[in-house]
Amino acid sequence: MAMRITIDPITRIEGHLRIDCEVDGGKVVNSWSSGQMWRGIEVILKDRDPRDAWIFAQRICGVCTTVHAIVSVRAVENALKLKVPLNAQYIRNMIIAAHGIHDHIVHFYQLSALDWVDIVSALKADPKAAAAIAQSLSDWPLNSADEFAKVQKKVQAFVDSGQLGIFGSGYWGHPAMKLPPEVNLLAIVHYMQALDYQRRANQIVGILGSKTPHIQNLAVGGVANPINPESQSTLTLERLYKVKTLLDELGGFVQQVYLPDVAAIGALYADWTAYGAGVTTMMAVPEMPLDTRNTQFALPGGFIPAGDVGRFQAMANFSDGFFEKGVKESAKHAWYEGSGEPLHPYDGETEPKFTGFEDDAKYSWVKAPTFNGERVQVGPLANVLAMYAAGHEPTKRNLGRLLSIAAKVGGNELPLSALQSTIGRHAARAVRCAVLTETLAAQWDLLMQNIAKGDYATFNAPSFPKGEIRGFGCHEAPRGVLSHWTVIKNGKIANYQAVVPSTWNAGPRDENDALGPYEASLIGNPVADPERPLEVIRTVHSFDPCLACAIHMIDGSGEIARIKVL
């Protein structure tokens, strides 16, 4: 007899995603993904000055603030066909890369590693043996036995105090946890070190963006970073060389710690390459523009039907009609007014109508996007497969290194298709992070070379015509394809729609009742203990779910999550 499980909330950073599953015979046989909060930023933006939209739009989230700011100015610039100075492109690209590196490090270590790593088991480890394993994977200088013993002692103090703090809500001792104690200790040591390195990535965002979260340096037409090597009040060489120091440190951590850790842990959980594939049609957009017209990019993007990289179709630029015409959203199963027929974002509607959770009707605040009528998965896996299919050398090289380490640890070669799985999404994110560290360094070089030519321009003033114009901005955000769409009439916003990565992946059933990527990925997942559905959490966390991250509430009793089994 099927059993119903409700997990609400499901993430470690915010509480607006609910997952319902039916479990029969120890496996998930049906699922529902539900966003539990109405965003409504589209309504707030109506009738405002388009130059102000990015300030409001980045409040969509408290983590991914930068990405909404970037894509909002791109949408207005696209509508105006406005050129962006090279220096502004390079500065934006560096912010994008640093934010992505920060996000991926935090996702693996702080938000999802504890789905695979047993903190309590690490107390049984031999620090010398654990350090020896780490040293066999890389020559990271903080992989010493003394460092491992110090962290183990710190974790022991947590346990002895009876107050596990941030480690308090894990499923320690769960039968699906199977890493040896030494590998658990290795992961915990690097969990602690990751807290410092994600901070360094955010320092770069803060230096270039003036503040983080919620950067303050953007403008429609460029950035508000004046460049003058003679003035201390501008973006000086001193600040730029501070960025250089930080990006070099980040590159070391990602290459010597993050990527080897994911490869090793993934190899020891190789059985999880059989779970979590779900929707295998994938999409990524090109990123890191290298010219003023957004026609050349450092990172390619495109469309992969049914997971077949041999059928990859590239997206040429930020004005590509293939992307612009293909996106629609259905509200058939979402709490909005309307017929349920899918609408293009330019014609999108945001009129809330809550009716309660109904399995076969409406059950989410998240709409269901489609691309040319198909459900697609977005995110680092789609991004890495698209770049691989496009022949992007840094992607192929870093992916090859990760698979080589995994083969060394696990004793078996893993095919490219193994990436289309729960554990594969983590591997792809590590590869993308490694690519971003190289891209960040390359963008720093391009900025310095352009300044050396005497080009200090960072802004082109926008001018809004009478009548109606339309435009969209797209961005390959840490969680996948992000796009904002705007209709501007006589210099004011007439309509604004945001189609975000978590909408693509977390969306409910569409107009044809096809499952969304979260829902489809859960079908067939094992569940050893319905009272502690760790396996369900693993698969959903592998997408890096985040809905309306700015708000997090707990009730007065201190309860932060509820598992309901019916």
Side-chain angles (χ1 to χ4, degrees), residues 66-72 74 92 95-97 99-100 284-288 318 323 432 472-484 499 501:
T66 298
V67 302
H68 290 287
I70 292 278
V71 78
S72 179
R74 283 180 177 174
R92 289 182 184 180
I95 291 174
I96 288 169
H99 173 75
V285 293
E287 190 49 85
M288 309 291 177
F318 282 171
F323 179 78
R432 183 173 190 267
F472 73 99
C474 55
H475 168 41
E476 189 62 31
R479 291 174 180 81
V481 175
L482 168 65
S483 58
H484 286 200
V499 185

Side-chain angles (χ1 to χ4, degrees), residues 232-300:
Q232 287 298 312
S233 60
T234 65
L235 185 57
T236 62
L237 291 179
E238 179 184 8
R239 288 189 174 91
L240 287 170
Y241 273 98
K242 175 62 177 177
V243 169
K244 176 76 167 102
T245 299
L246 292 166
L247 69 88
D248 287 344
E249 293 169 348
L250 281 172
F253 180 80
V254 171
Q255 288 289 346
Q256 297 183 61
V257 180
Y258 180 19
L259 193 141
D261 280 0
V262 172
I265 293 172
L268 295 171
Y269 280 109
D271 53 324
W272 274 85
T273 60
Y275 305 118
V279 174
T280 57
T281 294
M282 301 193 181
M283 181 169 64
V285 293
E287 190 49 85
M288 309 291 177
L290 300 173
D291 64 343
T292 61
R293 290 288 190 188
N294 296 320
T295 62
Q296 300 172 40
F297 300 88
L299 305 179

Side-chain angles (χ1 to χ4, degrees), residues 69-97:
I70 292 278
V71 78
S72 179
V73 295
R74 283 180 177 174
V76 180
E77 289 161 357
N78 179 266
L80 294 171
K81 297 180 171 50
L82 183 64
K83 293 172 66 176
V84 179
L86 277 180
N87 289 329
Q89 296 281 43
Y90 299 146
I91 290 170
R92 289 182 184 180
N93 290 345
M94 291 167 66
I95 291 174
I96 288 169

